[in-house]
């Protein structure tokens, strides 16, 4: 297997594209295979531990709800990726929320730990550097933002 940074980045971008298509179409069935369980979603506010498919679907629904209410689309571009070993990729990407060609929020730097399991590459852990209270950060962390402290997108 080619373990170049280009291959690692292509695998990472493919995972971003597949999960992004799931958000665009509202399809949890497309989203679920992108994740290894258990997984963790880290934000500045909290760590959301996801141990089963119901918790993963709650994450999907929470994030999709934010995107739908804002009329926004999630745009993610893989920036760096390296193989840590034959079955692990450490990767970063930039994430933006946009409405048409208007930037709503971001860019946010995000780190993914991607693992190969059962012959497929899946997200094993993520760290989101969303540095201000937003409904997007709330959806990811599962922790409500105190009233009056929330910024766009809403």
């Amino acid at each position: 297997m080619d373990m170049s940074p280009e291959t690692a980045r292509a695998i990472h971008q493919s995972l971003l594209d597949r999960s992004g298509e799931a958000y665009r179409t509202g399809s949890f069935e497309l989203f679920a295979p992108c994740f290894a369980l258990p997984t963790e979603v880290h934000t500045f506010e909290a760590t959301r531990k996801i141990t089963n498919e119901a918790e993963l679907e709650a994450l999907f629904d929470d994030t999709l709800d934010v995107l739908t209410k804002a009329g926004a689309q999630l745009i993610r571009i893989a920036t760096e990726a390296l193989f840590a070993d034959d079955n692990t990729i450490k990767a970063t990407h930039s994430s933006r929320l946009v409405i048409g060609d208007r930037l709503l929020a971001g860019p946010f730097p995000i780190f993914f730990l991607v693992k190969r399991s059962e012959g497929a590459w899946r997200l094993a852990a993520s760290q989101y550097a969303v540095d201000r209270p937003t409904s997007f950060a709330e959806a990811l962390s599962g922790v409500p933002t105190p009233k009056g402290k929330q910024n766009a997108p809403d």
Side-chain angles (χ1 to χ4, degrees):
M1 170 186 207
D2 175 11
M3 292 183 60
S4 69
E6 293 78 18
T7 298
R9 194 169 27 261
I11 291 167
H12 180 215
Q13 187 64 53
S14 174
L15 197 58
L16 296 172
D17 292 346
R18 286 185 288 133
S19 58
E21 181 64 18
Y23 282 127
R24 279 189 292 285
T25 61
S27 173
F28 178 70
E29 291 72 26
L30 290 176
F31 187 77
C34 296
F35 288 82
L37 293 178
T39 189
E40 292 184 352
V41 178
H42 299 263
T43 66
F44 290 128
E45 289 78 25
T47 297
R48 186 171 186 172
K49 296 178 189 233
I50 299 169
T51 60
N52 58 52
E53 196 165 287
E55 293 170 344
L56 183 61
E57 189 166 14
L59 169 68
F60 176 78
D61 291 343
D62 291 349
T63 305
L64 184 60
D65 186 53
V66 169
L67 296 172
T68 302
K69 283 181 181 174
Q73 187 176 23
L74 189 58
I75 306 295
R76 300 175 297 171
I77 307 291
T79 51
E80 300 293 331
L82 294 172
F83 282 93
D85 59 44
D86 290 348
N87 295 305
T88 307
I89 296 172
K90 294 179 179 180
T92 61
H93 66 275
S94 175
S95 186
R96 295 167 175 79
L97 295 174
V98 299
I99 298 174
D101 61 357
R102 184 176 65 110
L103 179 65
L104 184 62
F108 304 115
I110 298 164
F111 172 81
F112 272 11
L113 183 63
V114 179
K115 296 261 189 186
R116 183 170 27 198
S117 66
E118 300 173 15
W121 291 100
R122 302 173 198 275
L123 177 60
S126 56
Q127 297 175 354
Y128 290 77
V130 180
D131 62 352
R132 62 185 195 278
T134 65
S135 53
F136 182 58
E138 182 179 312
L140 293 168
S141 68
V143 175
T145 303
K147 296 276 186 216
K149 295 204 176 202
Q150 199 170 65
N151 295 321
D154 273 300

PDB file of all heavy atoms in Angstrom, residues 23-57:
ATOM      1  N   TYR A  23     -24.811  14.487   5.074  1.00  0.00           N
ATOM      2  CA  TYR A  23     -25.475  15.707   5.580  1.00  0.00           C
ATOM      3  C   TYR A  23     -26.310  16.368   4.492  1.00  0.00           C
ATOM      4  O   TYR A  23     -27.424  16.817   4.743  1.00  0.00           O
ATOM      5  CB  TYR A  23     -24.454  16.705   6.123  1.00  0.00           C
ATOM      6  CG  TYR A  23     -23.928  16.354   7.494  1.00  0.00           C
ATOM      7  CD1 TYR A  23     -22.564  16.277   7.720  1.00  0.00           C
ATOM      8  CD2 TYR A  23     -24.788  16.113   8.557  1.00  0.00           C
ATOM      9  CE1 TYR A  23     -22.072  15.959   8.986  1.00  0.00           C
ATOM     10  CE2 TYR A  23     -24.304  15.794   9.811  1.00  0.00           C
ATOM     11  CZ  TYR A  23     -22.949  15.719  10.013  1.00  0.00           C
ATOM     12  OH  TYR A  23     -22.464  15.404  11.264  1.00  0.00           O
ATOM     13  N   ARG A  24     -25.782  16.441   3.276  1.00  0.00           N
ATOM     14  CA  ARG A  24     -26.527  17.086   2.176  1.00  0.00           C
ATOM     15  C   ARG A  24     -27.830  16.361   1.860  1.00  0.00           C
ATOM     16  O   ARG A  24     -28.820  16.980   1.498  1.00  0.00           O
ATOM     17  CB  ARG A  24     -25.662  17.183   0.922  1.00  0.00           C
ATOM     18  CG  ARG A  24     -24.703  18.361   0.934  1.00  0.00           C
ATOM     19  CD  ARG A  24     -24.011  18.555  -0.397  1.00  0.00           C
ATOM     20  NE  ARG A  24     -23.072  17.492  -0.721  1.00  0.00           N
ATOM     21  CZ  ARG A  24     -21.879  17.338  -0.164  1.00  0.00           C
ATOM     22  NH1 ARG A  24     -21.458  18.180   0.748  1.00  0.00           N
ATOM     23  NH2 ARG A  24     -21.086  16.352  -0.520  1.00  0.00           N
ATOM     24  N   THR A  25     -27.815  15.034   1.998  1.00  0.00           N
ATOM     25  CA  THR A  25     -29.003  14.245   1.657  1.00  0.00           C
ATOM     26  C   THR A  25     -29.832  13.851   2.870  1.00  0.00           C
ATOM     27  O   THR A  25     -30.899  13.255   2.726  1.00  0.00           O
ATOM     28  CB  THR A  25     -28.595  12.966   0.891  1.00  0.00           C
ATOM     29  OG1 THR A  25     -27.755  12.169   1.729  1.00  0.00           O
ATOM     30  CG2 THR A  25     -27.881  13.302  -0.414  1.00  0.00           C
ATOM     31  N   GLY A  26     -29.323  14.158   4.076  1.00  0.00           N
ATOM     32  CA  GLY A  26     -30.043  13.790   5.294  1.00  0.00           C
ATOM     33  C   GLY A  26     -30.051  12.292   5.535  1.00  0.00           C
ATOM     34  O   GLY A  26     -30.973  11.767   6.155  1.00  0.00           O
ATOM     35  N   SER A  27     -29.000  11.605   5.077  1.00  0.00           N
ATOM     36  CA  SER A  27     -28.971  10.144   5.145  1.00  0.00           C
ATOM     37  C   SER A  27     -28.015   9.627   6.225  1.00  0.00           C
ATOM     38  O   SER A  27     -26.798   9.590   6.024  1.00  0.00           O
ATOM     39  CB  SER A  27     -28.552   9.573   3.787  1.00  0.00           C
ATOM     40  OG  SER A  27     -28.373   8.175   3.881  1.00  0.00           O
ATOM     41  N   PHE A  28     -28.579   9.195   7.332  1.00  0.00           N
ATOM     42  CA  PHE A  28     -27.764   8.576   8.376  1.00  0.00           C
ATOM     43  C   PHE A  28     -27.139   7.280   7.859  1.00  0.00           C
ATOM     44  O   PHE A  28     -26.030   6.917   8.271  1.00  0.00           O
ATOM     45  CB  PHE A  28     -28.592   8.305   9.634  1.00  0.00           C
ATOM     46  CG  PHE A  28     -27.802   7.619  10.711  1.00  0.00           C
ATOM     47  CD1 PHE A  28     -26.801   8.300  11.391  1.00  0.00           C
ATOM     48  CD2 PHE A  28     -28.052   6.293  11.037  1.00  0.00           C
ATOM     49  CE1 PHE A  28     -26.047   7.667  12.381  1.00  0.00           C
ATOM     50  CE2 PHE A  28     -27.313   5.655  12.027  1.00  0.00           C
ATOM     51  CZ  PHE A  28     -26.312   6.344  12.698  1.00  0.00           C
ATOM     52  N   GLU A  29     -27.803   6.601   6.932  1.00  0.00           N
ATOM     53  CA  GLU A  29     -27.273   5.352   6.369  1.00  0.00           C
ATOM     54  C   GLU A  29     -25.950   5.579   5.646  1.00  0.00           C
ATOM     55  O   GLU A  29     -25.107   4.689   5.604  1.00  0.00           O
ATOM     56  CB  GLU A  29     -28.300   4.702   5.436  1.00  0.00           C
ATOM     57  CG  GLU A  29     -29.522   4.145   6.148  1.00  0.00           C
ATOM     58  CD  GLU A  29     -30.482   5.217   6.672  1.00  0.00           C
ATOM     59  OE1 GLU A  29     -30.530   6.346   6.117  1.00  0.00           O
ATOM     60  OE2 GLU A  29     -31.184   4.942   7.658  1.00  0.00           O
ATOM     61  N   LEU A  30     -25.756   6.755   5.052  1.00  0.00           N
ATOM     62  CA  LEU A  30     -24.473   7.089   4.433  1.00  0.00           C
ATOM     63  C   LEU A  30     -23.447   7.523   5.478  1.00  0.00           C
ATOM     64  O   LEU A  30     -22.248   7.339   5.294  1.00  0.00           O
ATOM     65  CB  LEU A  30     -24.637   8.225   3.416  1.00  0.00           C
ATOM     66  CG  LEU A  30     -25.386   7.928   2.130  1.00  0.00           C
ATOM     67  CD1 LEU A  30     -25.538   9.200   1.301  1.00  0.00           C
ATOM     68  CD2 LEU A  30     -24.678   6.847   1.334  1.00  0.00           C
ATOM     69  N   PHE A  31     -23.917   8.125   6.552  1.00  0.00           N
ATOM     70  CA  PHE A  31     -23.066   8.693   7.593  1.00  0.00           C
ATOM     71  C   PHE A  31     -22.441   7.605   8.479  1.00  0.00           C
ATOM     72  O   PHE A  31     -21.229   7.636   8.746  1.00  0.00           O
ATOM     73  CB  PHE A  31     -23.919   9.647   8.441  1.00  0.00           C
ATOM     74  CG  PHE A  31     -23.177  10.444   9.463  1.00  0.00           C
ATOM     75  CD1 PHE A  31     -22.427  11.544   9.096  1.00  0.00           C
ATOM     76  CD2 PHE A  31     -23.271  10.123  10.815  1.00  0.00           C
ATOM     77  CE1 PHE A  31     -21.760  12.304  10.042  1.00  0.00           C
ATOM     78  CE2 PHE A  31     -22.616  10.883  11.767  1.00  0.00           C
ATOM     79  CZ  PHE A  31     -21.851  11.973  11.380  1.00  0.00           C
ATOM     80  N   ALA A  32     -23.238   6.669   8.926  1.00  0.00           N
ATOM     81  CA  ALA A  32     -22.805   5.677   9.922  1.00  0.00           C
ATOM     82  C   ALA A  32     -21.549   4.895   9.521  1.00  0.00           C
ATOM     83  O   ALA A  32     -20.659   4.718  10.364  1.00  0.00           O
ATOM     84  CB  ALA A  32     -23.958   4.732  10.258  1.00  0.00           C
ATOM     85  N   PRO A  33     -21.415   4.438   8.272  1.00  0.00           N
ATOM     86  CA  PRO A  33     -20.219   3.666   7.927  1.00  0.00           C
ATOM     87  C   PRO A  33     -18.918   4.470   7.948  1.00  0.00           C
ATOM     88  O   PRO A  33     -17.842   3.895   7.865  1.00  0.00           O
ATOM     89  CB  PRO A  33     -20.497   3.173   6.497  1.00  0.00           C
ATOM     90  CG  PRO A  33     -21.954   3.309   6.305  1.00  0.00           C
ATOM     91  CD  PRO A  33     -22.394   4.432   7.179  1.00  0.00           C
ATOM     92  N   CYS A  34     -19.007   5.774   8.094  1.00  0.00           N
ATOM     93  CA  CYS A  34     -17.812   6.623   8.150  1.00  0.00           C
ATOM     94  C   CYS A  34     -17.158   6.589   9.532  1.00  0.00           C
ATOM     95  O   CYS A  34     -16.067   7.135   9.709  1.00  0.00           O
ATOM     96  CB  CYS A  34     -18.170   8.067   7.795  1.00  0.00           C
ATOM     97  SG  CYS A  34     -18.769   8.277   6.105  1.00  0.00           S
ATOM     98  N   PHE A  35     -17.795   5.954  10.514  1.00  0.00           N
ATOM     99  CA  PHE A  35     -17.342   6.013  11.902  1.00  0.00           C
ATOM    100  C   PHE A  35     -17.042   4.646  12.478  1.00  0.00           C
ATOM    101  O   PHE A  35     -17.784   3.698  12.269  1.00  0.00           O
ATOM    102  CB  PHE A  35     -18.406   6.684  12.777  1.00  0.00           C
ATOM    103  CG  PHE A  35     -18.515   8.149  12.529  1.00  0.00           C
ATOM    104  CD1 PHE A  35     -19.248   8.625  11.463  1.00  0.00           C
ATOM    105  CD2 PHE A  35     -17.862   9.052  13.352  1.00  0.00           C
ATOM    106  CE1 PHE A  35     -19.341   9.978  11.203  1.00  0.00           C
ATOM    107  CE2 PHE A  35     -17.940  10.410  13.104  1.00  0.00           C
ATOM    108  CZ  PHE A  35     -18.689  10.876  12.029  1.00  0.00           C
ATOM    109  N   ALA A  36     -15.970   4.594  13.252  1.00  0.00           N
ATOM    110  CA  ALA A  36     -15.672   3.440  14.090  1.00  0.00           C
ATOM    111  C   ALA A  36     -16.348   3.701  15.440  1.00  0.00           C
ATOM    112  O   ALA A  36     -16.391   4.835  15.900  1.00  0.00           O
ATOM    113  CB  ALA A  36     -14.164   3.303  14.278  1.00  0.00           C
ATOM    114  N   LEU A  37     -16.878   2.671  16.026  1.00  0.00           N
ATOM    115  CA  LEU A  37     -17.468   2.803  17.359  1.00  0.00           C
ATOM    116  C   LEU A  37     -16.674   1.939  18.322  1.00  0.00           C
ATOM    117  O   LEU A  37     -16.341   0.800  17.991  1.00  0.00           O
ATOM    118  CB  LEU A  37     -18.943   2.367  17.345  1.00  0.00           C
ATOM    119  CG  LEU A  37     -19.878   3.269  16.544  1.00  0.00           C
ATOM    120  CD1 LEU A  37     -21.293   2.711  16.556  1.00  0.00           C
ATOM    121  CD2 LEU A  37     -19.854   4.694  17.051  1.00  0.00           C
ATOM    122  N   PRO A  38     -16.350   2.467  19.496  1.00  0.00           N
ATOM    123  CA  PRO A  38     -16.707   3.796  19.989  1.00  0.00           C
ATOM    124  C   PRO A  38     -15.856   4.873  19.319  1.00  0.00           C
ATOM    125  O   PRO A  38     -14.791   4.596  18.762  1.00  0.00           O
ATOM    126  CB  PRO A  38     -16.410   3.720  21.479  1.00  0.00           C
ATOM    127  CG  PRO A  38     -15.321   2.701  21.585  1.00  0.00           C
ATOM    128  CD  PRO A  38     -15.566   1.708  20.473  1.00  0.00           C
ATOM    129  N   THR A  39     -16.333   6.109  19.400  1.00  0.00           N
ATOM    130  CA  THR A  39     -15.590   7.267  18.919  1.00  0.00           C
ATOM    131  C   THR A  39     -15.802   8.413  19.895  1.00  0.00           C
ATOM    132  O   THR A  39     -16.688   8.343  20.744  1.00  0.00           O
ATOM    133  CB  THR A  39     -16.024   7.669  17.485  1.00  0.00           C
ATOM    134  OG1 THR A  39     -15.136   8.653  16.971  1.00  0.00           O
ATOM    135  CG2 THR A  39     -17.439   8.197  17.446  1.00  0.00           C
ATOM    136  N   GLU A  40     -14.965   9.420  19.784  1.00  0.00           N
ATOM    137  CA  GLU A  40     -15.093  10.598  20.639  1.00  0.00           C
ATOM    138  C   GLU A  40     -15.017  11.845  19.786  1.00  0.00           C
ATOM    139  O   GLU A  40     -14.232  11.911  18.834  1.00  0.00           O
ATOM    140  CB  GLU A  40     -13.980  10.645  21.692  1.00  0.00           C
ATOM    141  CG  GLU A  40     -14.085   9.558  22.727  1.00  0.00           C
ATOM    142  CD  GLU A  40     -13.033   9.683  23.814  1.00  0.00           C
ATOM    143  OE1 GLU A  40     -12.113  10.525  23.695  1.00  0.00           O
ATOM    144  OE2 GLU A  40     -13.133   8.927  24.792  1.00  0.00           O
ATOM    145  N   VAL A  41     -15.837  12.837  20.138  1.00  0.00           N
ATOM    146  CA  VAL A  41     -15.827  14.142  19.491  1.00  0.00           C
ATOM    147  C   VAL A  41     -15.422  15.153  20.561  1.00  0.00           C
ATOM    148  O   VAL A  41     -16.140  15.349  21.537  1.00  0.00           O
ATOM    149  CB  VAL A  41     -17.214  14.489  18.908  1.00  0.00           C
ATOM    150  CG1 VAL A  41     -17.206  15.869  18.275  1.00  0.00           C
ATOM    151  CG2 VAL A  41     -17.657  13.429  17.907  1.00  0.00           C
ATOM    152  N   HIS A  42     -14.256  15.767  20.371  1.00  0.00           N
ATOM    153  CA  HIS A  42     -13.732  16.729  21.336  1.00  0.00           C
ATOM    154  C   HIS A  42     -13.962  18.154  20.831  1.00  0.00           C
ATOM    155  O   HIS A  42     -13.693  18.445  19.672  1.00  0.00           O
ATOM    156  CB  HIS A  42     -12.223  16.528  21.532  1.00  0.00           C
ATOM    157  CG  HIS A  42     -11.862  15.190  22.066  1.00  0.00           C
ATOM    158  ND1 HIS A  42     -11.631  14.972  23.396  1.00  0.00           N
ATOM    159  CD2 HIS A  42     -11.706  13.994  21.445  1.00  0.00           C
ATOM    160  CE1 HIS A  42     -11.325  13.686  23.589  1.00  0.00           C
ATOM    161  NE2 HIS A  42     -11.373  13.083  22.414  1.00  0.00           N
ATOM    162  N   THR A  43     -14.468  19.011  21.701  1.00  0.00           N
ATOM    163  CA  THR A  43     -14.549  20.449  21.447  1.00  0.00           C
ATOM    164  C   THR A  43     -13.977  21.143  22.677  1.00  0.00           C
ATOM    165  O   THR A  43     -13.641  20.487  23.669  1.00  0.00           O
ATOM    166  CB  THR A  43     -16.005  20.921  21.223  1.00  0.00           C
ATOM    167  OG1 THR A  43     -16.737  20.761  22.436  1.00  0.00           O
ATOM    168  CG2 THR A  43     -16.691  20.163  20.092  1.00  0.00           C
ATOM    169  N   PHE A  44     -13.880  22.466  22.631  1.00  0.00           N
ATOM    170  CA  PHE A  44     -13.414  23.183  23.811  1.00  0.00           C
ATOM    171  C   PHE A  44     -14.382  23.007  24.974  1.00  0.00           C
ATOM    172  O   PHE A  44     -13.988  23.070  26.130  1.00  0.00           O
ATOM    173  CB  PHE A  44     -13.244  24.673  23.512  1.00  0.00           C
ATOM    174  CG  PHE A  44     -12.080  24.967  22.592  1.00  0.00           C
ATOM    175  CD1 PHE A  44     -12.267  25.727  21.461  1.00  0.00           C
ATOM    176  CD2 PHE A  44     -10.810  24.485  22.859  1.00  0.00           C
ATOM    177  CE1 PHE A  44     -11.203  26.012  20.614  1.00  0.00           C
ATOM    178  CE2 PHE A  44      -9.738  24.762  22.020  1.00  0.00           C
ATOM    179  CZ  PHE A  44      -9.947  25.535  20.890  1.00  0.00           C
ATOM    180  N   GLU A  45     -15.668  22.798  24.682  1.00  0.00           N
ATOM    181  CA  GLU A  45     -16.685  22.698  25.725  1.00  0.00           C
ATOM    182  C   GLU A  45     -16.728  21.336  26.399  1.00  0.00           C
ATOM    183  O   GLU A  45     -16.979  21.248  27.592  1.00  0.00           O
ATOM    184  CB  GLU A  45     -18.085  22.997  25.158  1.00  0.00           C
ATOM    185  CG  GLU A  45     -18.327  24.440  24.787  1.00  0.00           C
ATOM    186  CD  GLU A  45     -17.696  24.831  23.461  1.00  0.00           C
ATOM    187  OE1 GLU A  45     -17.473  23.946  22.599  1.00  0.00           O
ATOM    188  OE2 GLU A  45     -17.391  26.009  23.275  1.00  0.00           O
ATOM    189  N   ALA A  46     -16.507  20.273  25.620  1.00  0.00           N
ATOM    190  CA  ALA A  46     -16.733  18.939  26.178  1.00  0.00           C
ATOM    191  C   ALA A  46     -16.179  17.868  25.261  1.00  0.00           C
ATOM    192  O   ALA A  46     -15.778  18.140  24.125  1.00  0.00           O
ATOM    193  CB  ALA A  46     -18.230  18.707  26.377  1.00  0.00           C
ATOM    194  N   THR A  47     -16.190  16.643  25.770  1.00  0.00           N
ATOM    195  CA  THR A  47     -15.918  15.466  24.956  1.00  0.00           C
ATOM    196  C   THR A  47     -17.205  14.665  24.887  1.00  0.00           C
ATOM    197  O   THR A  47     -17.784  14.321  25.918  1.00  0.00           O
ATOM    198  CB  THR A  47     -14.805  14.604  25.572  1.00  0.00           C
ATOM    199  OG1 THR A  47     -13.600  15.372  25.595  1.00  0.00           O
ATOM    200  CG2 THR A  47     -14.591  13.325  24.778  1.00  0.00           C
ATOM    201  N   ARG A  48     -17.659  14.427  23.671  1.00  0.00           N
ATOM    202  CA  ARG A  48     -18.878  13.639  23.459  1.00  0.00           C
ATOM    203  C   ARG A  48     -18.449  12.228  23.108  1.00  0.00           C
ATOM    204  O   ARG A  48     -17.852  11.992  22.065  1.00  0.00           O
ATOM    205  CB  ARG A  48     -19.710  14.261  22.341  1.00  0.00           C
ATOM    206  CG  ARG A  48     -21.059  13.607  22.150  1.00  0.00           C
ATOM    207  CD  ARG A  48     -21.897  14.424  21.166  1.00  0.00           C
ATOM    208  NE  ARG A  48     -23.238  13.925  21.063  1.00  0.00           N
ATOM    209  CZ  ARG A  48     -24.196  14.558  20.399  1.00  0.00           C
ATOM    210  NH1 ARG A  48     -23.954  15.701  19.785  1.00  0.00           N
ATOM    211  NH2 ARG A  48     -25.409  14.049  20.343  1.00  0.00           N
ATOM    212  N   LYS A  49     -18.752  11.294  24.001  1.00  0.00           N
ATOM    213  CA  LYS A  49     -18.406   9.888  23.788  1.00  0.00           C
ATOM    214  C   LYS A  49     -19.577   9.198  23.108  1.00  0.00           C
ATOM    215  O   LYS A  49     -20.712   9.279  23.577  1.00  0.00           O
ATOM    216  CB  LYS A  49     -18.064   9.221  25.108  1.00  0.00           C
ATOM    217  CG  LYS A  49     -16.827   9.825  25.730  1.00  0.00           C
ATOM    218  CD  LYS A  49     -16.484   9.214  27.066  1.00  0.00           C
ATOM    219  CE  LYS A  49     -15.375  10.031  27.680  1.00  0.00           C
ATOM    220  NZ  LYS A  49     -14.247   9.308  28.086  1.00  0.00           N
ATOM    221  N   ILE A  50     -19.259   8.532  22.026  1.00  0.00           N
ATOM    222  CA  ILE A  50     -20.288   7.852  21.234  1.00  0.00           C
ATOM    223  C   ILE A  50     -19.929   6.379  21.211  1.00  0.00           C
ATOM    224  O   ILE A  50     -18.893   5.984  20.664  1.00  0.00           O
ATOM    225  CB  ILE A  50     -20.350   8.450  19.815  1.00  0.00           C
ATOM    226  CG1 ILE A  50     -20.718   9.930  19.922  1.00  0.00           C
ATOM    227  CG2 ILE A  50     -21.322   7.676  18.939  1.00  0.00           C
ATOM    228  CD1 ILE A  50     -20.574  10.707  18.656  1.00  0.00           C
ATOM    229  N   THR A  51     -20.780   5.579  21.847  1.00  0.00           N
ATOM    230  CA  THR A  51     -20.467   4.160  22.004  1.00  0.00           C
ATOM    231  C   THR A  51     -21.360   3.246  21.179  1.00  0.00           C
ATOM    232  O   THR A  51     -21.063   2.065  21.050  1.00  0.00           O
ATOM    233  CB  THR A  51     -20.578   3.747  23.486  1.00  0.00           C
ATOM    234  OG1 THR A  51     -21.913   3.994  23.932  1.00  0.00           O
ATOM    235  CG2 THR A  51     -19.600   4.541  24.348  1.00  0.00           C
ATOM    236  N   ASN A  52     -22.459   3.796  20.641  1.00  0.00           N
ATOM    237  CA  ASN A  52     -23.372   2.939  19.883  1.00  0.00           C
ATOM    238  C   ASN A  52     -24.019   3.735  18.746  1.00  0.00           C
ATOM    239  O   ASN A  52     -23.869   4.954  18.660  1.00  0.00           O
ATOM    240  CB  ASN A  52     -24.431   2.332  20.808  1.00  0.00           C
ATOM    241  CG  ASN A  52     -25.241   3.382  21.533  1.00  0.00           C
ATOM    242  OD1 ASN A  52     -25.791   4.291  20.919  1.00  0.00           O
ATOM    243  ND2 ASN A  52     -25.315   3.273  22.859  1.00  0.00           N
ATOM    244  N   GLU A  53     -24.733   3.043  17.910  1.00  0.00           N
ATOM    245  CA  GLU A  53     -25.329   3.668  16.729  1.00  0.00           C
ATOM    246  C   GLU A  53     -26.388   4.715  17.084  1.00  0.00           C
ATOM    247  O   GLU A  53     -26.515   5.727  16.395  1.00  0.00           O
ATOM    248  CB  GLU A  53     -25.923   2.596  15.801  1.00  0.00           C
ATOM    249  CG  GLU A  53     -26.183   3.149  14.420  1.00  0.00           C
ATOM    250  CD  GLU A  53     -26.419   2.070  13.391  1.00  0.00           C
ATOM    251  OE1 GLU A  53     -25.449   1.387  13.008  1.00  0.00           O
ATOM    252  OE2 GLU A  53     -27.585   1.928  12.962  1.00  0.00           O
ATOM    253  N   ALA A  54     -27.118   4.517  18.165  1.00  0.00           N
ATOM    254  CA  ALA A  54     -28.129   5.504  18.577  1.00  0.00           C
ATOM    255  C   ALA A  54     -27.466   6.826  18.952  1.00  0.00           C
ATOM    256  O   ALA A  54     -27.964   7.904  18.598  1.00  0.00           O
ATOM    257  CB  ALA A  54     -28.959   4.968  19.740  1.00  0.00           C
ATOM    258  N   GLU A  55     -26.341   6.783  19.659  1.00  0.00           N
ATOM    259  CA  GLU A  55     -25.613   8.006  20.008  1.00  0.00           C
ATOM    260  C   GLU A  55     -25.009   8.661  18.778  1.00  0.00           C
ATOM    261  O   GLU A  55     -24.971   9.890  18.671  1.00  0.00           O
ATOM    262  CB  GLU A  55     -24.528   7.696  21.044  1.00  0.00           C
ATOM    263  CG  GLU A  55     -25.095   7.291  22.391  1.00  0.00           C
ATOM    264  CD  GLU A  55     -24.063   6.754  23.357  1.00  0.00           C
ATOM    265  OE1 GLU A  55     -22.930   6.386  22.934  1.00  0.00           O
ATOM    266  OE2 GLU A  55     -24.383   6.682  24.552  1.00  0.00           O
ATOM    267  N   LEU A  56     -24.543   7.846  17.827  1.00  0.00           N
ATOM    268  CA  LEU A  56     -24.016   8.381  16.570  1.00  0.00           C
ATOM    269  C   LEU A  56     -25.131   9.071  15.775  1.00  0.00           C
ATOM    270  O   LEU A  56     -24.932  10.151  15.220  1.00  0.00           O
ATOM    271  CB  LEU A  56     -23.373   7.265  15.743  1.00  0.00           C
ATOM    272  CG  LEU A  56     -22.714   7.692  14.439  1.00  0.00           C
ATOM    273  CD1 LEU A  56     -21.574   8.688  14.693  1.00  0.00           C
ATOM    274  CD2 LEU A  56     -22.208   6.466  13.688  1.00  0.00           C
ATOM    275  N   GLU A  57     -26.299   8.464  15.767  1.00  0.00           N
ATOM    276  CA  GLU A  57     -27.430   9.074  15.059  1.00  0.00           C
ATOM    277  C   GLU A  57     -27.849  10.392  15.728  1.00  0.00           C
ATOM    278  O   GLU A  57     -28.222  11.346  15.043  1.00  0.00           O
ATOM    279  CB  GLU A  57     -28.613   8.113  14.980  1.00  0.00           C
ATOM    280  CG  GLU A  57     -29.708   8.619  14.065  1.00  0.00           C
ATOM    281  CD  GLU A  57     -30.719   7.552  13.702  1.00  0.00           C
ATOM    282  OE1 GLU A  57     -30.759   6.477  14.356  1.00  0.00           O
ATOM    283  OE2 GLU A  57     -31.485   7.785  12.746  1.00  0.00           O
TER     284      GLU A  57
END
